[in-house]
Amino acid sequence: MTAPPLLEIRNLTARFRTGAAAIDAVRGVDLAVAEGEVLGIIGESGSGKTVTGLAILRLLPDNAEVAAERLAFHGQSLLALSDEQFRNLRGTHLAMVFQNPAGSFNPAKTIGWHLARVAERARTRRDRANRPVVGSARRLAEVGIPQPGRVLALYPHQLSGGMLQRALIAMVLLLEPDLIIADEPTTNLDNIVERQIIGLFRELRARTRAAIIFITHDMAVASVLADRIAVMYAGEIVETGPTSAVLTMPRHPYTRALIDTALQLEGRADQLREIPGEMPSLAELPQGCAFAPRCNKADAACRAARPAMTQLTAERSVRCIHHE
């Protein structure tokens, strides 16, 4: 990555307290995202993708403890900000598109009410820059919602999941944030709507120059949207690199397994090969490499100690002693 990072994360950890016990849901995550870049975070459910996004935006529950050596946005340490100072960033310069759009709306308020609230936050920011705020109906039209004036008067339950996701993206367009975290926004949508939502994110990126962290379990989705990919497994990053390089020459066995699964789905194979075994419980991680119990390349060295992240090139790194 040649541009200076808009967001820089070093050694991010998210721990959940449950009584006397503590579970590290995210361990030692290093990430950087440049302005206008799309970073895809890939992994199975439970790999730590969503927790990472929520930790960045301070949206984890009260029993979570977040720590990092560095968590900087525009060069400013986010860790040093008070809750009030951070709230002034979140919803203006930082935004999130959630997996379940219905949970992002107050069911007792109309779509127009929601967009008006977002527009008010955007107006405060635009006033300082002497920039006008585009109207709510126009933003709905821009995300492909027909009869936007009518939709403004509707309630969330009157819209389909795909339409609600579009309305949520319209709210982000109103804000024009610098960084958007999208948490599996195409999950539970049919293929046609999924492609349309991906297209909207491409337009969103081109129009706002926002950096996007796109969280997904689908390697095929990441391949058409992301500039770079970070693969997560059991709470840690196991491989990073430019999308084309990771897809054509994966260096971690887990990445290869995810790619093989995506290729089988695209080819409509009669019988799909699954990744053997299950992701380990974060409360009882195995000694050594967390992926070793599912890996056909694992040996005694893999099970003896947790592998460090190896820097292969300036843009590629992998957490595997057998990366060659």
Side-chain angles (χ1 to χ4, degrees), residues 20-53:
I23 297 175
D24 289 335
V26 170
R27 309 185 311 284
V29 165
D30 295 340
L31 289 173
V33 190
E35 179 183 356
E37 181 183 40
V38 178
L39 172 68
I41 302 184
I42 318 297
E44 296 170 281
S45 297
S47 60
K49 310 183 302 297
T50 297
V51 173
T52 298

Side-chain angles (χ1 to χ4, degrees), residues 13-17 22-24 26 55 60-67:
T13 299
R15 173 175 295 176
F16 290 89
R17 294 280 180 187
I23 297 175
D24 289 335
V26 170
L60 290 173
D62 292 340
N63 67 327
E65 300 172 359
V66 176

Side-chain angles (χ1 to χ4, degrees), residues 67-254:
E69 290 181 19
R70 182 167 175 79
L71 180 56
F73 178 67
H74 278 304
Q76 178 186 25
S77 174
L78 296 179
L79 300 172
L81 299 181
S82 67
D83 288 342
E84 181 179 356
Q85 289 171 324
F86 194 89
R87 281 194 296 270
N88 289 333
L89 277 180
R90 191 177 59 216
T92 52
H93 296 272
L94 304 171
M96 188 161 191
V97 177
F98 294 92
Q99 176 178 341
N100 176 19
S104 302
F105 291 86
N106 183 335
K109 301 294 184 180
T110 65
I111 300 301
W113 180 90
H114 288 87
L115 270 81
R117 293 287 299 273
V118 171
E120 187 59 37
R121 287 187 67 88
R123 189 169 291 109
T124 301
R125 181 182 176 190
R126 301 295 188 281
D127 285 347
R128 290 196 291 265
N130 293 318
R131 293 170 56 195
V133 177
V134 175
S136 298
R138 178 178 162 187
R139 286 306 191 198
L140 289 179
E142 287 174 346
V143 298
I145 291 180
Q147 299 180 296
R150 182 185 68 86
V151 171
L152 287 173
L154 298 180
Y155 289 86
H157 73 272
Q158 295 176 293
L159 273 66
S160 67
M163 292 285 276
L164 273 180
Q165 197 64 279
R166 290 172 187 271
L168 196 54
I169 294 173
M171 291 163 64
V172 172
L173 279 172
L174 276 171
L175 286 173
E176 296 186 9
D178 302 318
L179 174 67
I180 302 163
I181 298 177
D183 183 19
E184 304 218 39
T186 61
T187 299
N188 300 323
L189 301 177
D190 63 53
N191 290 336
I192 294 176
V193 177
E194 178 185 70
R195 288 196 295 270
Q196 292 171 344
I197 295 299
I198 291 172
L200 285 176
F201 271 96
R202 283 175 162 172
E203 294 176 16
L204 180 66
R205 172 196 187 181
R207 184 174 302 168
T208 66
R209 290 300 298 163
I212 300 175
I213 297 177
F214 198 94
I215 296 169
T216 179
H217 64 275
D218 192 333
M219 189 67 79
V221 170
S223 69
V224 299
L225 189 63
D227 300 302
R228 290 188 303 119
I229 285 177
V231 182
M232 288 196 75
Y233 185 80
E236 60 188 4
I237 302 289
V238 297
E239 183 166 1
T240 63
T243 299
S244 58
V246 171
L247 293 178
T248 57
M249 192 177 293
R251 305 299 288 271
H252 196 282
Y254 180 59

Side-chain angles (χ1 to χ4, degrees), residues 285-300:
L285 288 171
Q287 183 177 348
C289 174
F291 188 62
R294 307 174 73 182
C295 181
N296 59 10
K297 294 184 178 181
D299 55 21

